[in-house]
């Protein structure tokens, strides 16, 4: 007769140790430097990889179990949303512009983060680090997939969702986040961790996801709320990983501090520039708004960011270099951004509009020092032109910033009536910048940024040669449907008609 022997169950900590530390080995026929060639070239000194505390502490089987559970819930809700015509529960189809922008500009960033983490997982020397990066790589791919799936339902009914992958590569406004990720992915592994783990996860995600997801809930978009919840539980891990990496570098060697500081300066400003898109989404594109961009900045930028830098001060880290310029820009950027998107809206794969009067009142109450003084008069002027049948469109090509790739649309930090423009001569060529922050980033690595692909010059190169129609074909923008004013658009007409059918007897 056999006796059953009770198997001794290992604790989570022990199982995790088996998964990581005990899987690492010393290479015998290659040196460590040959196996991990990129670990040293950024100048970061690591003395003991074992000191890396991976905040995930997940075994692979636990990881799959958690994620599978979330997927089941996610797809059940998406299914219900689709079957019940969830799109008709939106407050207004203007809201969809924010979603289109998200799909074209942010979801491809999730995918890029996935590729980047897969790469740095290979490049780092420590096993804890490798496993954490592998899991984050999987998370990010999943985020891209769930976002695309959640929004694909809108693609059946509305314009502007159909070619986000082409637009990711070719659109002028998506080149802003794309260049952010390309910059990160072409950096060394430690810089990548600051770019994504600190700038994208810490600076951007809080300001992007938290207000954006509550914005989705406020505006009746259950599909987006669902992918938001599914992603947000990963984000907490991601932020911890980014912070853990920063602290690890700072604790390993004091010589790392100036390198880390320079990356924090750079990636704070790059992240802040990408947030320009988010500020316009929050202040202008949500028909029902949760909070203003300024209010979100006060909570997630000033309060949370402030606490983070107080915490890092004991390592000799100070607040990012261009923090004050950012603070001065907060009351202006969403207005400057939306005005730019409006005047170039023949070239956007989403709709924009002149804010209706109640929106203008909301904006002036949220921006008491800037809106009525600088921006309402411009909107009133544009309104007048539109009424006269001569809506203002800017067919001139904007000068682009060589670093962040945004058009030069911002003003001087201390003078909101002066356009902010910087110029640098480098090896016989002139380069333009939107700000001191972007100029300094260029000057630290000019050889990197002179290679940047800029969308405006591309319009004049083969095969487009300045032809706007050819450009629209090339970016898969359907003229008259995807672009232009929301008022009078097919999206507006369809939404009102379908909603009318669903809620009345006519
Ligand atoms: Fe993500
Ligand atoms: Zn710039």
């Amino acid at each position: 007769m056999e006796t059953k022997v009770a198997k001794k169950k290992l604790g989570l900590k022990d199982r995790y140790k088996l998964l990581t530390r005990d899987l690492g080995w010393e290479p015998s026929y290659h040196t460590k430097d040959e196996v991990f060639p990129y670990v040293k070239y950024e100048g970061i000194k690591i003395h003991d990889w074992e000191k890396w505390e991976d905040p995930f502490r997940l075994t692979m089987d636990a990881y799959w179990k958690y994620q599978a559970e979330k997927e089941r819930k996610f797809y059940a809700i998406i299914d219900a949303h689709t079957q019940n015509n969830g799109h008709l529960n939106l407050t207004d189809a203007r809201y969809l512009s924010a979603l289109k922008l998200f799909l074209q500009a942010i979801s491809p960033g999730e995918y890029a983060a996935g590729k980047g983490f897969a790469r740095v997982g290979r490049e780092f020397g420590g096993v804890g680090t490798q496993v954490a990066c592998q899991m984050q790589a999987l998370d990010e791919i999943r985020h891209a997939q769930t976002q695309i799936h959640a929004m694909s339902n809108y693609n059946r009914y509305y314009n502007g969702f159909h070619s986000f992958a082409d637009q990711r590569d070719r659109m002028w406004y998506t080149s802003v986040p794309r260049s952010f990720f390309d910059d990160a992915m072409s950096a060394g592994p430690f810089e990548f961790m600051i770019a994504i783990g600190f700038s994208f996860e810490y600076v951007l995600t809080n300001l992007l996801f938290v207000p954006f997801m509550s914005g989705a809930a406020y505006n009746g978009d259950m599909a987006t709320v669902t992918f938001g919840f599914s992603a947000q539980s990963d984000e907490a891990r991601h932020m911890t990983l980014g912070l853990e990496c920063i602290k690890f570098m700072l604790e390993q060697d004091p010589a790392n501090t100036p390198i880390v500081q320079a990356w924090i300066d750079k990636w704070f400003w790059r992240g802040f520039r990408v947030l320009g898109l988010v500020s316009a989404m929050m202040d202008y594109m949500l028909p029902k708004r949760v909070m203003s961009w300024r209010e979100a900045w006060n909570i997630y930028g000033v309060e949370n960011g402030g606490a983070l830098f107080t915490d890092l001060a004991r390592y000799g880290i100070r607040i990012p270099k261009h923090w004050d310029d950012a603070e001065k820009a907060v009351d202006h950027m969403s207005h400057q951004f939306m005005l730019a998107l409006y005047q170039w809206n023949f070239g956007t794969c989403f709709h924009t509009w002149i804010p209706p009067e109640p929106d203008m009142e909301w904006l002036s109450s949220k921006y008491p020092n800037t809106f009525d003084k600088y921006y309402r008069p411009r909107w009133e002027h544009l309104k007048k032109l539109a009424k006269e049948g001569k809506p203002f469109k800017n067919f001139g090509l904007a000068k682009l910033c060589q670093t962040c790739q945004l058009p030069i649309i911002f003003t001087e930090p201390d003078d909101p009536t002066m356009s902010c423009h910087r110029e640098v001569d480098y090896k016989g060529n002139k380069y333009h910048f939107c700000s001191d922050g972007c100029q300094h980033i260029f000057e630290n690595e000019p050889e990197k940024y002179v290679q940047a692909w800029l969308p405006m010059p591309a319009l004049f190169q083969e095969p487009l040669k300045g032809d706007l129609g050819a450009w629209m074909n090339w970016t898969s923008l359907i003229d008259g449907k995807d672009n232009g004013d929301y008022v009078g658009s097919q999206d507006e007409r369809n939404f009102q008609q379908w909603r009318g059918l669903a809620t009345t007897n006519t």
Side-chain angles (χ1 to χ4, degrees):
M1 210 171 83
E2 278 183 64
T3 35
K4 265 197 184 152
V5 182
K7 256 197 224 150
K8 212 178 144 220
K9 252 200 149 178
L10 289 171
L12 197 62
K13 211 177 152 196
D14 293 324
R15 271 192 291 157
Y16 181 74
K17 197 169 182 305
L18 281 173
L19 176 77
T20 58
R21 303 309 196 257
D22 296 350
L23 275 184
W25 66 86
E26 287 300 314
S28 54
Y29 51 92
H30 277 300
T31 64
K32 273 212 152 166
D33 286 349
E34 286 169 327
V35 179
F36 304 109
Y38 297 108
V39 157
K40 285 184 181 158
Y41 96 107
E42 295 167 284
I44 292 290
K45 293 190 173 67
I46 301 299
H47 305 290
D48 184 6
W49 278 101
E50 288 295 306
K51 291 269 156 54
W52 178 284
E53 281 303 333
D54 163 30
F56 288 20
R57 295 273 174 96
L58 269 177
T59 59
M60 225 47 208
D61 64 330
Y63 176 82
W64 293 122
K65 248 179 246 159
Y66 291 143
Q67 300 303 67
E69 184 55 30
K70 286 199 291 186
E71 296 284 270
R72 265 195 297 278
K73 285 182 188 151
F74 170 79
Y75 284 101
I77 296 173
I78 293 297
D79 228 34
H81 175 82
T82 311
Q83 290 185 25
N84 294 304
N85 282 319
H87 67 103
L88 296 178
N89 293 330
L90 294 180
T91 43
D92 190 275
R94 279 187 297 163
Y95 166 79
L96 295 171
S97 277
L99 271 199
K100 293 170 194 177
L101 200 46
F102 195 100
L103 181 66
Q104 295 164 25
I106 307 295
S107 303
E110 301 270 17
Y111 188 75
K115 285 203 288 186
F117 272 104
R119 194 205 82 202
V120 298
R122 167 63 185 86
E123 288 176 0
F124 277 130
V127 264
T129 335
Q130 291 165 348
V131 171
C133 288
Q134 179 197 14
M135 283 181 194
Q136 186 161 351
L138 293 167
D139 288 340
E140 301 296 1
I141 296 285
R142 199 179 69 88
H143 295 174
Q145 287 171 341
T146 49
Q147 288 165 20
I148 292 163
H149 284 162
M151 286 185 246
S152 66
N153 183 45
Y154 293 106
N155 182 39
R156 295 183 187 179
Y157 305 103
Y158 302 99
N159 296 318
F161 286 99
H162 51 83
S163 302
F164 70 92
D166 286 350
Q167 282 140 15
R168 179 260 176 204
D169 290 336
R170 297 175 175 185
M171 255 310 166
W172 56 278
Y173 49 88
T174 61
S175 82
V176 177
R178 192 195 55 226
S179 81
F180 175 101
F181 284 101
D182 286 352
D183 192 349
M185 287 199 291
S186 52
F190 285 108
E191 186 183 345
F192 177 86
M193 290 299 282
I194 302 257
I196 306 300
F198 162 70
S199 179
F200 183 62
E201 302 291 353
Y202 211 92
V203 181
L204 279 165
T205 298
N206 277 337
L207 276 156
L208 179 67
F209 268 83
V210 183
F212 189 72
M213 292 314 140
S214 19
Y218 263 47
N219 288 281
D221 179 9
M222 284 328 282
T224 297
V225 172
T226 309
F227 82 61
F229 275 136
S230 180
Q232 201 56 42
S233 52
D234 298 334
E235 299 305 337
R237 276 190 280 124
H238 298 174
M239 278 189 272
T240 325
L241 179 61
L243 274 193
E244 203 58 56
C245 180
I246 291 179
K247 289 185 180 171
F248 175 66
M249 287 187 266
L250 296 170
E251 279 166 5
Q252 283 291 307
D253 201 297
N256 294 338
T257 309
I259 306 177
V260 172
Q261 180 72 57
W263 286 335
I264 287 179
D265 292 346
K266 168 183 171 178
W267 287 100
F268 165 72
W269 190 252
R270 293 228 62 181
F272 186 72
R273 274 303 184 233
V274 176
L275 280 170
L277 289 168
V278 180
S279 72
M281 284 153 95
M282 285 185 68
D283 281 346
Y284 283 87
M285 293 181 186
L286 300 181
K288 212 172 142 143
R289 289 165 294 270
V290 188
M291 58 171 89
S292 65
W293 156 248
R294 161 49 88 185
E295 288 163 328
W297 173 256
N298 285 350
I299 299 173
Y300 300 105
V302 180
E303 271 178 45
N304 292 6
L308 169 68
F309 287 105
T310 315
D311 185 27
L312 291 178
R314 63 193 152 109
Y315 299 104
I317 291 291
R318 49 157 178 75
I319 58 164
K321 202 174 181 180
H322 296 284
W323 182 274
D324 291 346
D325 287 348
E327 172 56 40
K328 286 174 189 166
V330 166
D331 289 333
H332 297 275
M333 60 202 274
S334 67
H335 318 299
Q336 295 174 348
F337 228 93
M338 193 63 172
L339 279 158
L341 292 173
Y342 174 80
Q343 58 181 285
W344 286 307
N345 75 7
F346 53 90
T348 60
C349 216
F350 53 83
H351 298 299
T352 43
W353 51 87
I354 296 169
E357 190 45 41
D359 288 12
M360 295 241 230
E361 270 158 37
W362 184 86
L363 288 165
S364 75
S365 76
K366 295 296 178 183
Y367 295 92
N369 301 321
T370 57
F371 187 74
D372 285 347
K373 195 169 173 194
Y374 303 108
Y375 304 105
R376 186 192 277 269
R378 289 190 215 174
W379 285 120
E380 295 293 356
H381 181 65
L382 294 174
K383 202 153 90 180
K384 192 172 139 259
L385 290 177
K387 238 189 205 144
E388 291 165 0
K390 302 177 287 192
F392 179 68
K393 300 295 159 214
N394 182 350
F395 290 103
L397 277 193
K399 206 177 267 178
L400 295 184
C401 175
Q402 189 73 24
T403 303
C404 72
Q405 308 210 354
L406 278 164
I408 310 288
I409 54 169
F410 301 107
T411 49
E412 287 290 342
D414 293 309
D415 184 358
T417 63
M418 275 291 284
S419 170
C420 186
H421 173 229
R422 303 286 179 269
E423 231 176 67
V424 168
D425 281 303
Y426 182 75
K427 290 190 178 170
N429 279 315
K430 255 189 205 338
Y431 296 93
H432 306 281
F433 304 94
C434 72
S435 55
D436 290 334
C438 283
Q439 182 190 331
H440 293 156
I441 293 170
F442 176 89
E443 285 167 337
N444 284 333
E445 296 167 274
E447 288 303 323
K448 183 169 199 177
Y449 297 101
V450 294
Q451 301 173 56
W453 177 89
L454 293 179
M456 297 295 180
L459 180 55
F460 284 99
Q461 290 157 6
E462 293 284 352
L464 307 174
K465 291 189 276 186
D467 180 341
L468 188 61
W471 175 81
M472 287 178 176
N473 287 339
W474 181 67
T475 55
S476 302
L477 180 155
I478 303 170
D479 191 23
K481 286 192 170 175
D482 296 335
N483 56 356
D485 274 47
Y486 174 70
V487 181
S489 67
Q490 197 179 37
D491 275 5
E492 183 195 42
R493 270 198 317 278
N494 282 343
F495 180 73
Q496 283 174 4
Q497 212 174 15
W498 293 331
R499 185 124 82 189
L501 286 174
T503 54
T504 63
N505 294 311
T506 49

